[in-house]
Amino acid sequence: MAKKWGQKVRNWMAKKMDLPQDVMMDLPRITMIGQIHIYIENHRGLLAYTDKELRLLLKQGQLLIKGKSFVIKTFLPEEVLLEGKIDQVIYITDNPGGAK
Amino acid sequence: MKNQWIEFIFGRVTVKVSGKGVERFLNILARNGLHIWNIKRHGTETITFKMRLEDAKNIRHYARHSECNISFLQRSGVPFLFKRLLKNSGFLIGAGIFLFILLLLSNVIWGIEIKGAKPATEYQIRKELDKMGVKIGKLQFFVDNVEGIQRRLTNNVGDLTWVGVELKGTTYHLQVVEKNEPKKQKQLLPQNLIAKKKAIIVKMDIEYGQKVVDRNDHVEAGQLLVSGIIGEDGLKPELVSAQGEVWGETWYKSHVELPFKTNFNVFNGKEKQKYYLSFGKLEVPIWGFGEHGFKKFETEKTVHKIHFLKWELPVSYIHKTIREREEFTRTYTNEEAEQNALELAKKQIKSQLDEDAIIKDEKILHKAIKNGKVILDIHFKIIENIAVGAPISKETHE
């Protein structure tokens, strides 16, 4: 309950003080360059990786990227740069709190 | 994007990981601050990625706690290139030796060309050069410089009037002028012999012509000594070129001054050799360290430019000789001073005369000692050839 309350305060602060949401709320920041590059910051670890699929753990839920011939160009504790042909970027969430 | 050059310099390896839970393994690596990139999947259980060489040393530690097997595939970067270079060091050494030999051979004397000398003189010059160490195949560094060679040749080979030494590339060009030039053809034009100065005739040695004066005659400068017009009285005179020597006693006056005390700067034989390599203006000593400790000295510097093929490198080999100088005071007594002044006067007179002139007698006319100097006026009697040719102009006798 306390964690959720903390989330609410953060959300409110981000809105009222015009702060970037990703910094305030530990949300992933995803940058895509066309279909060929995707750059994800603020992930929480690699769950699965094949050349057709990349699954990343987020603070809340997971991020699933589907496509073809994936190569992870950079892999850092909180950043991933993926190269290949990206078809889909899917958020998998149990509770939709993170996105709201 | 990261700068790949850093990784290139420090070396990178490609790692193959196979087993279950490779993703977990990657997470562990990333969290422990190991840089990994270019992750690719091959099949279901295998991935490859690249990492830094220094991180690769630690990877076993993490791999032990996981269920993955790791193996290294490809190594690239400077450390590995360097290793290869060491392995193939023969090539490197060969290239070095090649350059060194080329440099060495560019500084070797490859030829000595002598122009303008007779074979005999040329042989003498070559012998003298040999003595100096100027030989084909010798290094130019250890040979005197061009001026030195020129000086020594001129001093030591008697037949040379002048020799010009020039170093062109690896060849010494010697231009020689010999003393014994081919004799000029004797002038066969009609001439008289006349006196070049006032004299008393001592000896006459006439090859051709009619002598006009006799021994013990007093002649004035310009007086006819031997006539080129010969012929019996009444017959048509014949014009010939009078030849011969007429020796006459002539007189010279000479004035010399010689101080009793003279200061000389002399070298006392102590010297120190120093060798340098100079790069531009910077001189780096390579041999002969330490202070010379001379109070007064003179430095002789010989610079040898180092050549590479036909180019002159900005590097030169310098040989410095530092000689100690001492001041030396020569003091004469009265008699010594007089003696030496006389010798000096004789030398001065001789330098004015022909080589075959003889000093017959000298007489001191006046002697004075003033301001620490001895002053002499000397009268010399010289026996010399006073005959000079004077052409007879034909018009006057026709």
Side-chain angles (χ1 to χ4, degrees):
Chain A
M1 206 60 197
K3 196 181 171 190
K4 257 198 170 164
W5 201 77
Q7 277 286 329
K8 271 185 181 170
V9 172
R10 282 189 191 188
N11 205 347
W12 180 83
M13 270 174 72
K15 270 182 185 161
K16 292 297 170 198
M17 295 171 79
D18 212 12
L19 291 168
Q21 301 258 344
D22 60 325
V23 179
M24 285 306 295
M25 302 173 69
D26 266 340
L27 296 175
R29 184 192 185 99
I30 303 170
T31 315
M32 271 183 86
I33 300 164
Q35 273 186 296
I36 53 168
H37 275 271
I38 184 161
Y39 185 59
I40 303 129
E41 289 166 87
N42 247 345
H43 74 88
R44 285 284 175 273
L46 188 66
L47 288 176
Y49 164 63
T50 64
D51 58 343
K52 289 192 185 70
E53 194 183 81
L54 180 77
R55 198 185 280 259
L56 287 169
L57 182 67
L58 301 178
K59 193 175 182 208
Q60 270 164 350
Q62 296 173 5
L63 186 70
L64 180 65
I65 302 158
K66 285 184 173 178
K68 270 180 226 155
S69 55
F70 282 173
V71 173
I72 301 175
K73 275 287 165 193
T74 316
F75 186 69
L76 292 169
E78 300 207 320
E79 289 168 37
V80 168
L81 176 64
L82 185 74
E83 206 183 82
K85 190 169 181 287
I86 298 144
D87 294 331
Q88 287 174 295
V89 180
I90 303 161
Y91 275 99
I92 304 166
T93 41
D94 306 334
N95 59 339
K100 207 228 155 194
Chain B
M1 266 285 172
K2 288 193 311 294
N3 190 354
Q4 295 285 320
W5 283 102
I6 306 283
E7 270 77 44
F8 177 73
I9 289 166
F10 288 106
R12 57 199 170 197
V13 289
T14 308
V15 188
K16 188 173 98 175
V17 183
S18 53
K20 278 180 184 165
V22 283
E23 287 90 355
R24 219 176 314 133
F25 181 56
L26 289 180
N27 284 334
I28 291 166
L29 293 184
R31 266 178 221 136
N32 286 293
L34 277 71
H35 262 280
I36 50 182
W37 66 92
N38 252 9
I39 307 165
K40 284 178 195 163
R41 182 168 274 276
H42 304 272
T44 49
E45 289 202 325
T46 320
I47 58 164
T48 59
F49 58 85
K50 291 187 179 183
M51 69 193 308
R52 291 194 294 210
L53 177 63
E54 49 182 319
D55 290 343
K57 287 165 190 159
N58 305 324
I59 194 172
R60 294 237 172 250
H61 172 73
Y62 300 111
R64 213 168 291 146
H65 301 294
S66 74
E67 298 160 18
C68 304
N69 299 318
I70 57 166
S71 55
F72 298 104
L73 295 180
Q74 192 196 357
R75 293 140 224 259
S76 61
V78 171
F80 300 110
L81 281 179
F82 188 68
K83 242 182 207 169
R84 271 235 304 272
L85 203 68
L86 281 185
K87 214 161 126 193
N88 303 336
S89 55
F91 287 105
L92 200 71
I93 293 168
I97 290 174
F98 168 73
L99 285 178
F100 180 72
I101 288 176
L102 207 61
L103 189 73
L104 211 65
L105 293 185
S106 304
N107 291 288
V108 158
I109 301 166
W110 283 120
I112 299 167
E113 269 183 28
I114 301 174
K115 274 182 199 161
K118 286 188 296 188
T121 319
E122 194 177 324
Y123 173 73
Q124 249 184 320
I125 291 171
R126 285 200 187 272
K127 229 167 65 179
E128 191 60 38
L129 285 176
D130 266 11
K131 255 192 253 168
M132 266 185 261
V134 183
K135 273 188 227 173
I136 287 173
K138 281 268 172 123
L139 276 178
Q140 283 169 14
F141 310 130
F142 306 118
V143 164
D144 225 353
N145 60 358
V146 165
E147 287 83 22
I149 293 172
Q150 197 164 326
R151 199 168 48 233
R152 273 191 64 175
L153 278 181
T154 321
N155 289 344
N156 295 1
V157 182
D159 294 340
L160 294 180
T161 303
W162 179 83
V163 59
V165 183
E166 199 183 3
L167 181 64
K168 269 188 197 164
T170 54
T171 311
Y172 280 97
H173 292 266
L174 278 82
Q175 187 69 46
V176 176
V177 177
E178 284 183 67
K179 265 179 193 161
N180 299 339
E181 282 181 28
K183 279 183 183 169
K184 282 179 193 166
Q185 271 200 325
K186 277 188 181 172
Q187 271 195 339
L188 290 171
L189 288 170
Q191 66 166 12
N192 291 326
L193 291 181
I194 60 169
K196 69 176 169 192
K197 57 183 66 147
K198 195 169 87 173
I200 290 173
I201 291 165
V202 179
K203 195 171 81 181
M204 292 186 89
D205 203 355
I206 293 153
E207 292 168 20
Y208 228 60
Q210 181 70 48
K211 70 177 178 182
V212 177
V213 289
D214 217 331
R215 273 182 65 180
N216 298 326
D217 278 2
H218 177 93
V219 293
E220 293 289 334
Q223 193 178 331
L224 185 70
L225 301 175
V226 181
S227 174
I229 307 162
I230 51 174
E232 305 276 315
D233 286 340
L235 290 170
K236 196 187 174 215
E238 195 186 342
L239 293 180
V240 295
S241 176
Q243 300 289 339
E245 287 174 349
V246 178
W247 295 84
E249 191 183 292
T250 54
W251 307 278
Y252 288 85
K253 248 190 195 173
S254 157
H255 176 86
V256 283
E257 293 183 10
L258 191 73
F260 289 113
K261 273 190 180 177
T262 320
N263 288 327
F264 289 101
N265 280 321
V266 293
F267 294 123
N268 64 357
K270 280 184 198 162
E271 58 177 37
K272 192 169 170 64
Q273 312 279 345
K274 285 192 173 199
Y275 301 90
Y276 298 86
L277 270 184
S278 82
F279 305 92
K281 281 188 180 171
L282 181 76
E283 290 183 358
V284 182
I286 49 173
W287 194 248
F289 302 101
E291 288 294 311
H292 45 74
F294 301 152
K295 273 182 195 159
K296 289 178 175 177
F297 58 91
E298 251 163 52
T299 309
E300 192 186 305
K301 192 169 157 189
T302 317
V303 180
H304 295 280
K305 288 266 180 196
I306 295 178
H307 295 265
F308 184 76
L309 295 180
K310 62 175 182 174
W311 301 285
E312 220 167 60
L313 297 185
V315 183
S316 32
Y317 171 79
I318 296 174
H319 176 198
K320 276 187 188 170
T321 308
I322 299 159
R323 295 195 175 91
E324 185 167 14
R325 208 172 59 186
E326 257 179 19
E327 285 206 345
F328 166 76
T329 309
R330 186 183 65 187
T331 317
Y332 284 136
T333 60
N334 272 8
E335 290 84 50
E336 276 173 347
E338 200 183 315
Q339 193 72 36
N340 281 300
L342 201 61
E343 289 299 321
L344 192 69
K346 274 189 187 174
K347 268 186 200 160
Q348 277 178 8
I349 285 290
K350 272 193 175 160
S351 68
Q352 291 171 20
L353 298 172
D354 291 339
E355 270 175 48
D356 46 6
I358 309 158
I359 298 175
K360 190 188 169 196
D361 192 19
E362 73 263 341
K363 207 164 94 187
I364 295 165
L365 298 177
H366 178 74
K367 182 177 145 189
I369 291 167
K370 216 196 276 174
N371 299 335
K373 285 178 182 174
V374 60
I375 301 164
L376 291 183
D377 282 308
I378 306 160
H379 183 254
F380 285 102
K381 279 185 187 168
I382 310 287
I383 295 180
E384 63 175 325
N385 185 8
I386 57 166
V388 284
I392 307 168
S393 48
K394 281 180 181 171
E395 289 87 35
T396 53
H397 292 277
E398 268 178 350

